[in-house]
Amino acid sequence: MKKSFLFSIFIVLFSAFRAEGKQIEISKYARFETRFVVPVKANPFNVAFSAVFSQRNRHVPVDGFYAGDGQWAIRFMPDMEGEWTYTTTSDLPELNGKKGKFTCVAAKPGAHGPVRVAKLTRFQYDDGTDYMPFGTTCYVWNHQGTQLEEQTLQTLAVSPFNKLRMCVFPKDYIYNRNDPEHYVFVKNEDGSFDYTRFDIAYFERQEALLDRLADLGIEADIILFHPYDRWGFSKMPREVDERYLKYYIARISSFANVWWSFANEYDLMSAKTEADFDFYFKLTQARDPYGHLRSIHNCNRFFDHAKPYVTHVSIQSGSLTRVSEWLRTYEKPIVVDECGYEGNISKDWGNKTAIEMIHRTIIGFLWGGYVGHGETYDTGDDILWWSKGGILRGDSPAMIAFFRNYLEKNEFSFAKFYPSGELGPDMREGIRGKNGYLCYIGNVQPAYRYVVLPAGRWRAELVDVINGTVTDLGVYEGSFRLQLPGTPYLVVGFYKN
Amino acid sequence: MKKSFLFSIFIVLFSAFRAEGKQIEISKYARFETRFVVPVKANPFNVAFSAVFSQRNRHVPVDGFYAGDGQWAIRFMPDMEGEWTYTTTSDLPELNGKKGKFTCVAAKPGAHGPVRVAKLTRFQYDDGTDYMPFGTTCYVWNHQGTQLEEQTLQTLAVSPFNKLRMCVFPKDYIYNRNDPEHYVFVKNEDGSFDYTRFDIAYFERQEALLDRLADLGIEADIILFHPYDRWGFSKMPREVDERYLKYYIARISSFANVWWSFANEYDLMSAKTEADFDFYFKLTQARDPYGHLRSIHNCNRFFDHAKPYVTHVSIQSGSLTRVSEWLRTYEKPIVVDECGYEGNISKDWGNKTAIEMIHRTIIGFLWGGYVGHGETYDTGDDILWWSKGGILRGDSPAMIAFFRNYLEKNEFSFAKFYPSGELGPDMREGIRGKNGYLCYIGNVQPAYRYVVLPAGRWRAELVDVINGTVTDLGVYEGSFRLQLPGTPYLVVGFYKN
């Protein structure tokens, strides 16, 4: 069990026994939680319970939730230091009109708050810290039992990834046939699910894992619906979906590191229409007090990402050079969460080489977007990183680690796409950051390029992401022929000298 | 000087001095030529001169031409053995009503006649021999002077190529700034071209080179117009174009190994419209007695290859998996004459790796078409194979040689495209030949594929085109998991056991 979870329990006990007026301190972007013990009549999940958290003239409505064992809970993630008060509202008199307060103190090191869209097409944390997503996918790592989950967390701890795509519901697909220990809903005696009652154990387990990810600096891109299903979760009635989303948001929106992904491959969900997803987006936007990022991921057909409640564009595509076109189309951050997986399985989406994976990754980033990693090496144990987590195989993570470090060190967080031709007749499009340009040579082997640089003297360097090396190419100005090694997959950087 | 050219001279002399009734023998698909010496008045190129060659009830109208030195010539390529007679027609009385005959005897070894479209989307020679084009491009090798031209021919002699794209007019483009020794037209005293008079020396030189190609078994895909021009040949008036085409056809259509390519990058020819090219196609179809193949090559925008006088589809594109779609669209052979060049120059069309070149080549062939090679290594001497010929550099020719040999040995000339899924859930589309299937694994690294084969027992083999190896994978039947090495760029063949 994890320290954050223990800490929550501590808060619960503390809240339950504290005298009015005692000073409670919560660090910025951490989670305040208070609980109320009330005798349970009827279905406790049907009780209306909410609160408003206030700081002077600012009032933030927040949903509470039934937390099991006769306890109702309210959670809140403060994003401003200073005193916060709250008052509850409920149709249960015992839960109505409860008041309390706490003081929000400085954020702990490493706590930067939720990730936000910044300057239309880029990201930063709520506190203004730069953020570039370097994601990976372990769809149902969180449904595999403690042993494998711990291994996944250990692997993530030394990986370059700061975003993880993962599903609320279990997955029924190749290499994904096992049942989880817990489901979102409890079961009826006949084995069917009781869509009116949530499984508290499921949520407590998931929350502990989300906090573990937060400790590793990893954003949880939570997939709320997906089509790979034998249990019925992909075709629940809308009122059940609504109930599920409200409960999920009430419990989990106070976690700073969550993003809402409304579906994986939404267009394969035969029981849903775009209007259903519109409804989930709008419901979530209304219920989530923190405005976590909202997106939806396609298989073949893009969702209309221009809709105002879609915060950024989540894409499955192998056509990475289209990123700049999508930037123009949507004027939102473009995250190609799925561009293919490094692996060796029979399906072509899951047997890309490491070089192809990093090639696609570089293109996506240098055409102005972000690209997620995935891995599907089948080594015979039915545990593939992409689905269950475990151990990370293949060569692309090390390349991505180098690339992430290079982009961060050279401050490309707020880089902008520049069009082909800006750096001379044969230099391709790429990104212009705070300190300079990055241009990808690509899967071609020029021995030279004709370059035309803006005014001033520029230092050129050759970045070999595959081999993890940076080579100085000297200082240039104006129009010149840049000699290159005549090998593929190289990036050229130009920095103000 | 070449033997065929000497042979032509011999025929001229022989024709000039022979008595009526002497037995002349011409082998099938070789060239009969007869000349008539007549005093030149006015512009000899304006004289109307033609003949009809007849074999019993079959009559073939053929244009004659002014051949210089007061000689008018008629050439004819017989495609049937037996006796042929001819009668000339002219507005010059001395050239009118001339009669003669010759006997067409069996073709010489290696002479198969012009290449024809066969079974809608494939090719064969006129005599029924299989033909699969494995082309390359040396746009203006034929304008470089004897020394370099001889080197090009020596290189071609040991290359895997059996088709060569080459231009009638010189080229003005990067790495192509030199003037040729001869032009199609003679010059006026002021240095401008006299569009009413052709340069006999130009044609005799070109014809000798075409015969040299024929000796090497290479089809000359002759590019009749192109946009890279500083001399004005890309924007001559239509009547000059017509005069030029008629003269060219009259001289050269009797060469068995010529194809007509009406343009390179027709859509970059700003002075021409589609209607102009329609006119050239139709004119050529009417004037060419042998029905040589006719195509037109694009830069960005495809010509309407569905037009009935377009015999096959000549394409510039790097999207090789679209070949099967183009097959469905046009129901004609698909020849991707330009898919990029192996090389190292600054332009991305000219710096592909050998692996990318062979990858594209394999896709094009296995999606049911044909792909041409090109090479643009700049080694500092301004002689790039793609433009001037010379020495062939890079690794793809050896891979193409292996691939050609493999396809021919296993009789894939009349292969047909089969759709994805035909060989099981994860096996891609490919070709089905006389003896079996070829399926490309591609730029992915599966460790296995699920295969479902048609009834019977099949021998599987792994074809590594890059390393030139074939590995037996054993005998299979029905539905099975095929173990693979987990490395990219492999082809799998299945043959009836």
Side-chain angles (χ1 to χ4, degrees), chain B residues 101 107 180-181 186 220 271 301 306 351 447 460:
Chain B
K101 65 180 178 181
E181 197 181 346
V186 296
R301 197 177 66 246
N351 53 28

Side-chain angles (χ1 to χ4, degrees), chain B residues 185-197:
Chain B
F185 303 100
V186 296
K187 284 187 176 177
N188 296 312
E189 285 185 8
D190 67 358
S192 66
F193 289 100
D194 179 353
Y195 286 150
T196 71
R197 291 172 189 268

